[in-house]
Amino acid sequence: MADLPEIKHETTNSEDVVPSRLSKQPQQSQKPVISYFVRKLLAAAGVISIILGIFAFVFNTEWLLAVSIIFGLFSIFIAFIDLMLFSNSVYLRGAHLMSALLSAVMGLVLLFRQDFTQDFIGLVFGFWILFNATSNLAQTWVPELLIGWQRLVGLIIGAVGLALGLFLVLFTGYTPHNMQIILGVYTDLLGIFFLLVSFFSHKNDLNSNK
């Protein structure tokens, strides 16, 4: 009986097949966590906050109505930015939602309760500082926004804000001029926080490397 030809069985490496199959699959592009438009809004918020901080050093009590309206509109603007961050974020979304709610509440109080603001100006701006400082601390831990030394700066800004806000809320022996200094200092620090996120958040976009 004639010898039958040998049948050669080709062995394939499964590890070589899987990557080739994966490479043929189209990669889905993911939108950035912080869009170009939101980054510009954050930069605008930073500049506006620094200007308001400088203005807080010099305004008179007669301008209280105008000041409360300006700070109220600015708080609503911050709430809008936080809502946009909340809609795109994938990490710690509650931090953005909390910041949006706190900013919206303080904005409405400053806009529609000027009588309360006039009688308890230190208390109102003390809570305004506390709410924003709490939001700073919460958003500092969002890896899409701040990492490394940026996170350290955010923590310092949030901690200083908590101390200044608690001083205005818990104590009553300070003068209106001292309140203006505290408000101006923190508002300038808040502007630095917004500019920090605007300038460095694109480097921390975790979806860009996926």
Side-chain angles (χ1 to χ4, degrees):
M1 185 174 180
D3 295 334
L4 296 176
E6 296 180 357
I7 300 176
K8 297 181 179 181
H9 298 280
E10 296 182 357
T11 59
T12 59
N13 192 349
S14 59
E15 296 181 355
D16 297 334
V17 176
V18 174
S20 62
R21 291 178 180 177
L22 293 176
S23 60
K24 294 180 181 180
Q25 294 179 355
Q27 295 181 353
Q28 297 180 353
S29 59
Q30 300 179 6
K31 65 179 180 179
V33 173
I34 300 181
S35 65
Y36 178 80
F37 176 67
V38 176
R39 193 171 297 118
K40 292 300 181 183
L41 290 179
L42 286 166
V47 173
I48 294 172
S49 185
I50 291 176
I51 294 175
L52 287 178
I54 297 173
F55 177 69
F57 288 111
V58 298
F59 80 88
N60 296 324
T61 54
E62 290 79 8
W63 308 346
L64 182 59
L65 178 61
V67 170
S68 61
I69 291 176
I70 294 174
F71 272 85
L73 292 174
F74 181 58
S75 296
I76 298 297
F77 181 54
I78 295 175
F80 174 73
I81 296 176
D82 288 325
L83 284 178
M84 297 193 70
L85 291 173
F86 169 76
S87 62
N88 293 331
S89 179
V90 293
Y91 298 93
L92 299 178
R93 299 180 68 198
H96 300 303
L97 182 60
M98 181 191 69
S99 179
L101 292 176
L102 294 178
S103 297
V105 168
M106 287 307 304
L108 293 175
V109 170
L110 289 169
L111 285 174
F112 299 106
R113 290 302 307 271
Q114 285 84 16
D115 56 340
F116 181 81
T117 303
Q118 186 173 5
D119 295 334
F120 303 96
I121 180 173
L123 194 63
V124 170
F125 282 113
F127 276 111
W128 185 84
I129 294 176
L130 280 177
F131 287 174
N132 282 283
T134 304
S135 300
N136 294 153
L137 291 174
Q139 295 188 7
T140 296
W141 295 105
V142 180
E144 304 152 348
L145 300 185
L146 302 175
I147 59 175
W149 66 269
Q150 310 153 22
R151 179 172 292 172
L152 177 62
V153 174
L155 288 174
I156 294 174
I157 293 175
V160 172
L162 284 180
L164 295 177
L166 286 173
F167 178 82
L168 292 181
V169 170
L170 298 179
F171 298 96
T172 58
Y174 51 83
T175 64
H177 180 67
N178 292 334
M179 186 215 67
Q180 291 178 226
I181 294 176
I182 292 175
L183 180 62
V185 168
Y186 176 72
T187 307
D188 285 337
L189 290 176
L190 182 62
I192 294 174
F193 178 84
F194 286 134
L195 291 176
L196 189 71
V197 176
S198 175
F199 291 156
F200 293 99
S201 60
H202 63 287
K203 299 179 181 179
N204 303 333
D205 185 1
L206 303 184
N207 282 343
S208 61
N209 298 325
K210 291 182 180 181

